[in-house]
Amino acid sequence: MSTRDATAYTTTLGALLGLLGLAIGLVGLWLLVLGGSPYYVLAGLMLLLTGLRVHRRSGLALWSLAALFVASLVWSLWEVGLDWWPLAARMGVLFLLGAVLLLPWTTRRLDADRARGPSAGGAPKPPSSASRSGWREGGGVALAAGLAAFALVSVGSWLRDVHAIEGMLPPSQGALIDVDADLRGVPPGEWHAYGRTGYGQRFSPLSQITPENVSRLEVAWHIHTGDLRGQPGDPVETTYEVTPLKVGDRLFLCTPHQSVLAIDATTGKEIWRHDVKMVNALALQHLTCRGLSYRAPRTPPSTATASAAAAETAAAASCAEGKLFMPTADGRLLALNPKDGSPCRGFGNGGEIDLWAHMPNVRPGAYYSTSPVVVTERLVVVGGTVLDNVSTHEQSGVIRAFDVDTGKLVWNWDSGNPVETAPIADGQRYTVNSPNSWSISSVDENLGMVYVPMGNQPPDQWGGHRSPAVEKYSSSVVALDLGSGQVRWVFQTVHHDLWDYDVPSQPSLVDLRIDGATVPALVQPTKQGELFVLDRRTGVPIRPQPEAPAPQGAAAGDTTAPTQPVAAISFNPPTLKEHDMWGVSMFDQLACRVQFRRLRYEGRFTPPSTQGSLIHPGNFGVFNWGSVAIDPRRQIAFTTPTYLPFVSRLVQRPNDSALVVHDEAPQGPLPALNENFGAPFAASLSAFVSPLGIPCVAPPWGYVAGADLTTGKVVWMHKNGTVRDLSPLPIPIRMGVPNLGGPIVTAGGLAFLSGSLDDYVRAYDVTSGRQLWEARLPAGGQATPMTYTGSDGRQYLLVVAGGHGSTGTRKGDSVLAYALPRS
């Protein structure tokens, strides 16, 4: 290379280093003014100095970069210890720069050093070859040593998971409790409700598939429902979230676009299909169907008093062979015959109930139920969802119970008017904008109670006008009397909720052996990461539950609760610090640090603000509608904690009609979300990510964890899932990714999960949490799987893979059944 070329090379490289140093230094100065770390100012100055020395072709450039690299390594270890991904974000760019400077064609060009001091004649001494080599080699050795040290640290941190909790869950305690009572009369090889039974445990007593043979699972059949998201008029959140039912030899499932299918459980062959005719142009925020509900057969009419033909007609009309219930996206509840999918015409009005009856502020699509209803011996209990953060004049969150045979309204519990539960009178309306229940309820018919997870009253982030009833029942689990609908007890998981921490998960009912006595318990997961374990007779926590002080200082016109409840079993993440910020490089990590310092953040219950508040965990939830899986025999919970912070910023509204979050009204019937018409503030909500769209908080973002419900201890916890389907390069790096969709557990000692945001279904050893098997899915598996016995005697694992619009997972319409090879 000629002298001119060498000069051009070092000039270009020096300018690059100088520009990087200048950028890091200036932004670092901003961070320092905000109260952040001084490291980036110093690092920027050192990079600027290194760039200047490279431009001058000075071997001292190697020394300055070596000093920066070693100091950065020490600083990084001080901040995050042996945690690979945070270390890589801090050191990766410097490592690459160091490698470039150590390249032979770089070091050979750093030859313009001049010896210090004048010669006897006053002129500078010319450099000798030895001095030039000394400067280069000395700095090069130092820099190479620094890079080697980082390589050794990297290997150690890669092989050691600092986030893992290792342990072993206890074996079955089935001999100590009546575990058969938890099966609720459902045959072992069947699945009759969303959580298999009304207890919502997601536990199967099947044990054919074990930790020893699960690796041999193979696809037994794979079908397509023909229902793909992405049709005209679909909202963004069009998702497959269904957990099918298995009754007799048939599977029953629904699809997002409101079709109901009956499938042969052993072969996957479609038996019948019922396509629900929908009202056009629905204002839907979510288009999904999480599942159907099943009512076992009733005694058919006596043929002694009627002809055979008349008896058969009466049986068909009343669906004496059982009923399937499906809530629809246009606000109806359908009753279908499991035999052929025909309407049960003796139920309601020709086989359906209009859930818009007595509802205020009728707007098609603004109220509907995405979750399966509760079915008991004589009742079907229905909740519903309303649009979040549209206005203060939304529909009622009333919970209604209808006669399971006739569809007649038996009682209604309106959280805005909780005392009056007798059927509403003609011409009356339920309370406007009362808290709703959009998730799945559970039921204990022996105790005579249905357990309802409650949401919040819109707007979610400002609560200045909430009534005493709203304050009492928002973000709570409420036990209602099956006979009357009256409140038996209420337990609030968040006081004066300003974070959209509504209760998203189905309560799980289980009898626990505590201190030598059997206690009927309720396990309630929450978005903020608590697993509240309550006596389901009274709602009293089984173990002591403190109230922790909460940050104060709500927006104008609002207040904050002085304390918040904390469960004995808590997956609440540690309070974030600046050093928890992350990115793929030191540049976007620096941007995240600046963003962190600019936001208001005082821990989990930081109030939303006009400044912008960091909400961690965010409203995606540590737990969401997938809930947890409970093994009643082992007295344990298999859980899937997720950690994704959000930013909540309140925007002052000048009046009740102006758009302040959106630039223009959305196209179609869906109103402008997050505008909160009628409230003094709109809400601007976003994920807490870097300029590159990468989470600002370091991984892992998703785990599997096992908790002992009798001791209240988290026994093991492991990061779960890869970034294969989340990064530009499809490399299955196991970083621990978010999950949306629930797990199941089996008596065979296994847990199954398909909801992680990579397209896999996985099996785990429940005892240790070790992953034992995985299979690639054709689409995102954001649904809760289930398991059953086919007519061939084999145990099947069923997975629905259709993707999720909001999480961006791959769309599809697949239903897959896995089984062990035929012997």
Side-chain angles (χ1 to χ4, degrees):
M1 184 182 287
S2 67
T3 302
R4 178 178 296 179
D5 291 338
T7 301
Y9 175 77
T10 54
T11 299
T12 302
L13 180 58
L16 175 63
L17 289 168
L19 288 174
L20 291 179
L22 185 62
I24 290 174
L26 290 176
V27 180
L29 182 60
W30 186 13
L31 176 65
L32 186 62
V33 171
L34 292 171
S37 170
Y39 163 80
Y40 292 92
V41 173
L42 300 176
L45 291 174
M46 288 298 289
L47 275 177
L48 191 60
L49 176 62
T50 302
L52 179 62
R53 286 174 169 176
V54 169
H55 170 68
R56 297 178 62 187
R57 299 174 61 193
S58 168
L60 289 172
L62 296 170
W63 283 103
S64 55
L65 189 60
L68 172 59
F69 192 90
V70 172
S72 297
L73 181 57
V74 172
W75 170 76
S76 297
L77 290 171
W78 173 74
E79 278 209 327
V80 298
L82 291 175
D83 194 349
W84 159 250
W85 291 108
L87 283 174
R90 288 161 170 78
M91 300 300 299
V93 169
L94 295 178
F95 186 89
L96 291 175
L97 293 176
V100 169
L101 260 64
L102 286 177
L103 292 174
W105 53 80
T106 303
T107 57
R108 282 199 302 266
R109 282 143 188 85
L110 301 180
D111 59 1
D113 296 325
R114 293 292 182 265
R116 299 178 183 275
S119 65
K125 293 186 205 176
S128 67
S129 297
S131 67
R132 291 199 303 268
S133 176
W135 280 119
R136 289 200 308 267
E137 291 178 5
V141 168
L143 182 55
L147 267 60
F150 174 65
L152 290 174
V153 168
S154 298
V155 171
S157 62
W158 182 265
L159 296 176
R160 179 173 179 265
D161 186 357
V162 298
H163 302 280
I165 300 173
E166 302 292 347
M168 304 288 280
L169 285 169
S172 173
Q173 302 182 45
L176 301 177
I177 59 172
D178 182 12
V179 295
D180 290 335
D182 288 341
L183 303 182
R184 313 309 305 155
V186 177
E190 300 192 6
W191 196 282
H192 284 194
Y194 175 80
R196 190 174 178 275
T197 73
Y199 270 29
Q201 294 173 349
R202 282 159 287 283
F203 168 78
S204 170
L206 298 181
S207 58
Q208 186 181 106
I209 305 173
T210 67
E212 292 70 33
N213 63 26
V214 68
S215 62
R216 298 172 57 209
L217 282 179
E218 60 185 19
V219 176
W221 53 260
H222 176 191
I223 67 168
H224 297 274
T225 66
D227 188 334
L228 284 169
R229 62 182 174 90
Q231 297 183 15
D234 280 0
V236 170
E237 193 163 323
T238 303
T239 78
Y240 269 70
E241 297 177 355
V242 63
T243 298
L245 307 181
K246 199 269 185 174
V247 181
D249 292 332
R250 296 182 176 185
L251 298 170
F252 300 101
L253 68 150
C254 52
T255 70
H257 292 93
Q258 314 293 281
S259 293
V260 182
L261 283 72
I263 298 170
D264 185 288
T266 307
T267 67
K269 180 180 178 181
E270 184 176 315
I271 299 171
W272 57 255
R273 177 186 295 252
H274 179 94
D275 293 321
V276 179
K277 305 303 180 185
M278 302 296 298
V279 177
N280 291 327
L282 298 179
L284 297 173
Q285 187 175 0
H286 313 280
L287 182 56
T288 191
C289 182
R290 294 193 181 96
L292 306 169
S293 303
Y294 174 67
R295 176 64 168 84
R298 303 298 294 268
T299 303
S302 172
T303 57
T305 57
S307 68
E312 184 176 348
T313 301
S318 62
C319 293
E321 296 182 353
K323 287 188 180 73
L324 293 172
F325 292 98
M326 177 186 175
T328 69
D330 58 359
R332 291 177 288 158
L333 177 64
L334 308 185
L336 303 176
N337 192 329
K339 181 178 180 180
D340 57 12
S342 61
C344 299
R345 302 197 179 280
F347 179 83
N349 182 17
E352 64 181 56
I353 293 172
D354 181 8
L355 297 178
W356 281 103
H358 303 283
M359 191 64 69
N361 301 324
V362 174
R363 190 173 65 251
Y367 172 86
Y368 52 106
S369 183
T370 58
S371 298
V373 300
V374 169
V375 176
T376 72
E377 179 67 23
R378 73 179 194 93
L379 295 176
V380 51
V381 183
V382 187
T385 185
V386 300
L387 298 178
D388 280 342
N389 291 334
V390 172
S391 76
T392 59
H393 305 288
E394 295 304 301
Q395 295 71 41
S396 174
V398 62
I399 310 298
R400 285 170 282 192
F402 300 93
D403 186 282
V404 74
D405 294 316
T406 66
K408 181 180 178 181
L409 182 63
V410 176
W411 53 257
N412 38 230
W413 180 73
D414 182 348
S415 56
N417 181 24
V419 176
E420 303 295 331
T421 62
I424 193 168
D426 290 342
Q428 298 297 308
R429 293 287 181 268
Y430 297 118
T431 306
V432 172
N433 215 40
S434 56
N436 67 318
S437 177
W438 57 266
S439 189
I440 305 99
S441 297
S442 300
V443 64
D444 185 336
E445 293 189 65
N446 291 331
L447 290 178
M449 282 185 271
V450 59
Y451 303 94
V452 183
M454 295 297 295
N456 209 343
Q457 180 187 69
D460 291 322
Q461 285 75 29
W462 188 84
H465 294 160
R466 294 174 185 169
S467 69
V470 167
E471 293 285 18
K472 181 176 182 179
Y473 295 111
S474 288
S475 303
S476 301
V477 55
V478 179
L480 300 178
D481 187 277
L482 279 175
S484 65
Q486 290 286 332
V487 175
R488 296 270 288 270
W489 57 259
V490 56
F491 178 86
Q492 191 164 61
T493 65
V494 183
H495 307 319
H496 194 68
D497 184 3
L498 301 175
W499 305 272
D500 195 16
Y501 283 161
D502 49 4
V503 184
S505 303
Q506 180 182 26
S508 295
L509 313 183
V510 59
D511 294 338
L512 297 178
R513 192 74 175 173
I514 305 289
D515 299 329
T518 299
V519 179
L522 177 149
V523 180
Q524 182 60 69
T526 69
K527 283 186 178 181
Q528 63 270 25
E530 309 297 338
L531 251 63
F532 291 106
V533 183
L534 314 175
D535 187 321
R536 68 175 181 268
R537 296 167 298 187
T538 62
V540 175
I542 288 176
R543 296 206 174 272
Q545 176 197 290
E547 289 271 337
Q552 299 299 292
D558 202 355
T559 60
T560 53
T563 62
Q564 294 291 351
V566 178
I569 305 176
S570 178
F571 292 92
N572 175 36
T575 300
L576 291 175
K577 305 295 184 183
E578 184 192 314
H579 61 69
D580 295 312
M581 299 303 101
W582 192 69
V584 295
S585 70
M586 64 189 303
F587 306 114
D588 52 330
Q589 185 200 79
L590 173 56
C592 286
R593 287 178 181 249
V594 170
Q595 188 178 357
F596 175 78
R597 287 292 182 178
R598 295 183 69 197
L599 293 169
R600 179 181 179 185
Y601 179 67
E602 301 165 44
R604 178 167 59 168
F605 293 104
T606 302
S609 62
T610 53
Q611 169 189 347
S613 296
L614 180 59
I615 310 301
H616 184 52
N619 60 2
F620 188 90
V622 175
F623 302 110
N624 210 288
W625 51 263
S627 195
V628 301
I630 304 292
D631 186 333
R633 300 177 180 181
R634 303 180 73 163
Q635 310 270 278
I636 60 95
F638 182 94
T639 72
T640 59
T642 290
Y643 300 103
L644 284 178
F646 276 69
V647 175
S648 177
R649 179 174 285 105
L650 297 178
V651 182
Q652 186 80 44
R653 296 195 55 81
N655 53 56
D656 287 349
S657 60
L659 293 174
V660 297
V661 173
H662 300 271
D663 293 331
E664 57 184 23
Q667 299 295 316
L670 187 66
L673 302 178
N674 298 324
E675 289 287 354
N676 293 335
F677 298 115
F681 296 97
S684 175
L685 307 172
S686 60
F688 183 47
V689 295
S690 78
L692 299 178
I694 305 295
C696 272
V697 173
W701 306 296
Y703 297 83
V704 290
D708 187 325
L709 296 173
T710 63
T711 65
K713 302 296 184 183
V714 177
V715 176
W716 54 258
M717 186 168 174
H718 305 144
K719 61 185 178 184
N720 180 64
T722 73
V723 294
R724 174 172 176 170
D725 299 299
L726 300 175
S727 63
L729 298 176
I731 303 174
I733 301 174
R734 187 169 169 264
M735 295 179 69
V737 298
N739 176 84
L740 190 62
I744 64 170
V745 292
T746 72
L750 293 169
F752 294 97
L753 176 68
S754 65
S756 302
L757 300 190
D758 56 352
D759 300 340
Y760 288 94
V761 56
R762 296 183 170 93
Y764 311 83
D765 185 321
V766 170
T767 302
S768 65
R770 184 167 61 95
Q771 182 180 308
L772 302 175
W773 168 82
E774 68 179 16
R776 188 77 171 143
L777 295 174
Q782 282 68 62
T784 302
M786 52 86 80
T787 187
Y788 62 91
T789 302
S791 60
D792 57 0
R794 291 194 294 172
Q795 180 183 352
Y796 288 79
L797 168 70
L798 194 76
V799 179
V800 173
H804 194 290
S806 293
T807 61
T809 52
R810 187 165 31 164
K811 66 181 180 181
D813 63 342
S814 291
V815 182
L816 302 98
Y818 300 85
L820 297 172
R822 296 180 188 273
S823 57

